Amino acid sequence: MQIPYGKQSISSSDIKAVEKVLKSDFLTQGNVVPSFEYSVSKYTKAKHCIAVNSATSALHIACKALGVGKNDIVWTSPNTYVASANAALYCGAKIDFIDIDSETYNLSTSALHTKLKDSAKKNKLPKVLIVVHLAGMSCDMKEIFKLSKRYGFKIIEDASHAIGANYFKNKVGSCKFSNICVFSFHPVKIITTGEGGMALTNDPGLAKKMMILRTHGVAKTNKSFDQSNNNEIWNYHQFDLGFNYRMTDIQAALGLSQLKRIDAFVKKRNVIARKYTKAFLSLPIQLPLIDPSHLSSFHLYVIRINTERAGISRNTAYKKLQSQGIQVNIHYNPVYLQPYYASLGFKRNYCPKSEKYAQECLSLPIYPDLSVDEQNFVIKKIKELFKN
Ligand SMILES: *Cc1c(COP(=O)(O)O)cnc(C)c1O
């Protein structure tokens, strides 16, 4: 038996929806992408949604739309997938990292405040902060939003883990406390389009910029821009140096069909999370925070194993569970310890809390189709780790 840490859930109606597009006239640039965007907009209450081919692309055009360039600084959490930081580097900007909170594993609001005060003195404030809602649990957005007003930076939410989650009464993606929010539709995430992503915003100017950046910087218009020659026929004009980051209608059909089950998916993940938490309460490990004022999408269920407290190391637990077919995982080693980032000059001990977390964290299997038998098998094997 092999149990992954995350996996997509595909129904016969998903397959029918994709098949319908395959039999239609348009595989891309038809009406299913706009329809998916409209539905995500209705779901999250964000005014504008721009579907793209990955969250990585969405992060890139989000940074571009906010004007991130060569002389700018972008900050993010070290406890994330490399894409959150890479987006800033694509724009030629400098990246820096804020250490995490030891309870939520999201970037620490107090560490952020300290670094802002310090950077203001040195005239090195960031242009953009990319927050990451780790495991599907929102960052402290109200406080971060206040800091953004005080210190004059923009906010991108990397909500790759968090579609379907709530922050107080708002859906993550509402952009109530940010400029742009980004979702991922990779198969391990909450809903999938195979590969895919989306950028959301309430700002029509940013929406327009991102809309043209995803398609070569081109917009369809037959208006003449060059009065010197009226004999030409123009169907589109390029206004900016953009990319081909478009989502296909095939992908959007899958996304639209998956979106119908998003609340059921999140509910199922929460049921599994509560079952794990109940089963593990007496074990010598740190369990995920369950904050009743927010709904986490529980993209991940992360336990922390501290060797001294647990009597067993995380690495031993990792190897043992792997050998039993439970494909536990590490989310994440600090981005700045990746060889590429080390080559940019980042050193060990830069964010000590994040490094300690990385030595203790372990993501257990959690996804809607994880059967009760599989859940019980995981629980049994975890409990066995701490016997005697
Ligand atoms: C998955 C993920 C991404 C990248 O998403 P893609 O859609 O694969 O590009 C970015 N950030 C975080 C936090 C992720 O988990």
Side-chain angles (χ1 to χ4, degrees):
M1 178 159 52
Q2 288 293 323
I3 309 175
Y5 83 87
K7 193 183 163 191
Q8 72 278 10
S9 174
I10 301 294
S11 70
S12 57
S13 46
D14 291 340
I15 294 166
K16 272 195 205 117
V18 171
E19 193 179 1
K20 195 173 157 208
V21 173
L22 287 172
K23 290 175 174 166
S24 77
D25 288 337
F26 294 98
L27 301 187
T28 191
Q29 295 176 286
N31 59 21
V32 191
V33 168
S35 176
F36 181 40
E37 290 170 334
Y38 175 77
S39 297
V40 175
S41 168
K42 248 179 59 181
Y43 182 73
T44 57
K45 305 272 192 302
K47 289 206 180 86
H48 309 277
C49 295
I50 295 100
V52 287
N53 58 3
S54 72
T56 305
S57 304
L59 287 163
H60 186 193
I61 60 171
C63 285
K64 279 267 180 201
L66 289 169
V68 173
K70 214 173 120 214
N71 299 313
D72 296 316
I73 301 168
V74 174
W75 290 357
T76 190
S77 168
N79 191 18
T80 185
Y81 186 54
V82 292
S84 321
N86 287 347
L89 300 184
Y90 295 156
C91 302
K94 276 211 173 68
I95 188 81
D96 206 350
F97 300 92
I98 322 286
D99 208 351
I100 61 167
D101 178 282
S102 298
E103 299 293 319
T104 65
Y105 320 144
N106 282 330
L107 73 82
S108 153
T109 313
S110 66
L112 172 65
H113 198 177
T114 306
K115 198 175 168 83
L116 284 166
K117 276 191 262 184
D118 190 47
S119 304
K121 278 184 217 143
K122 297 179 188 153
N123 215 358
K124 282 192 162 173
L125 283 168
K127 181 167 207 158
V128 171
L129 173 71
I130 302 177
V131 298
V132 182
H133 305 314
L134 191 91
M137 163 91 141
S138 177
C139 294
D140 183 6
M141 292 312 296
K142 284 186 183 175
E143 212 46 51
I144 294 169
F145 186 70
K146 269 190 219 156
L147 290 171
S148 78
K149 293 296 162 205
R150 190 157 148 200
Y151 289 93
F153 59 87
K154 304 278 195 259
I155 302 172
I156 298 173
E157 295 172 79
D158 181 345
S160 292
H161 299 182
I163 188 170
N166 291 354
Y167 177 65
F168 292 104
K169 292 276 177 277
N170 300 295
K171 279 267 164 267
V172 168
S174 73
C175 297
K176 206 167 168 208
F177 303 103
S178 68
N179 301 92
I180 298 170
C181 180
V182 166
F183 293 143
S184 171
F185 306 125
H186 182 277
V188 296
K189 308 292 165 71
I190 308 295
I191 60 167
T192 189
T193 60
E195 295 278 1
M198 197 175 275
L200 296 82
T201 184
N202 290 323
D203 180 326
L206 290 175
K208 198 175 163 203
K209 279 185 193 159
M210 292 194 288
M211 212 99 79
I212 78 159
L213 281 169
R214 85 168 152 190
T215 180
H216 307 275
V218 155
K220 282 216 163 73
T221 158
N222 53 17
K223 201 174 125 209
S224 177
F225 281 82
D226 178 2
Q227 300 303 326
S228 65
N229 191 339
N230 280 326
N231 291 326
E232 295 157 351
I233 296 173
W234 292 79
N235 292 321
Y236 60 87
H237 287 92
Q238 184 182 346
F239 297 100
D240 200 348
L241 186 61
F243 314 91
N244 183 352
Y245 283 170
R246 290 187 304 262
M247 176 183 276
T248 66
D249 282 51
I250 306 166
Q251 292 167 304
L254 180 54
L256 198 52
S257 178
Q258 290 252 306
L259 189 63
K260 293 189 180 134
R261 307 204 297 294
I262 188 166
D263 290 337
F265 286 161
V266 169
K267 197 168 165 193
K268 189 77 194 291
R269 286 172 176 276
N270 273 271
V271 167
I272 298 168
R274 273 166 215 280
K275 178 168 168 170
Y276 279 164
T277 292
K278 200 169 159 217
F280 302 151
L281 270 179
S282 61
L283 299 182
I285 55 177
Q286 186 174 333
L287 301 175
L289 205 70
I290 297 185
D291 182 341
S293 59
H294 311 304
L295 175 72
S296 172
S297 56
F298 270 104
H299 164 58
L300 303 172
Y301 187 94
V302 179
I303 60 170
R304 282 183 75 162
I305 303 174
N306 174 284
T307 312
E308 270 169 39
R309 183 178 161 208
I312 169 183
S313 75
R314 190 280 312 273
N315 290 0
T316 305
Y318 178 95
K319 284 175 199 149
K320 199 151 189 185
L321 293 165
Q322 286 281 348
S323 76
Q324 292 162 335
I326 301 173
Q327 296 170 359
V328 287
N329 215 316
I330 312 297
H331 298 99
Y332 295 92
N333 285 308
V335 170
Y336 63 82
L337 291 182
Q338 294 287 350
Y340 180 76
Y341 281 82
S343 81
L344 299 179
F346 288 102
K347 298 268 189 303
R348 233 167 237 285
N349 296 320
Y350 191 59
C351 297
K353 285 183 178 152
S354 181
E355 289 184 31
K356 185 161 191 289
Y357 164 88
Q359 284 167 14
E360 299 179 353
C361 69
L362 198 63
S363 300
L364 307 188
I366 188 163
Y367 49 91
D369 290 352
L370 187 69
S371 71
V372 170
D373 282 352
E374 289 166 329
Q375 293 165 33
N376 291 338
F377 180 72
V378 172
I379 289 170
K380 183 164 157 250
K381 294 299 166 191
I382 295 288
K383 282 185 169 170
E384 275 175 19
L385 292 172
F386 304 100
K387 279 202 180 124
N388 65 64

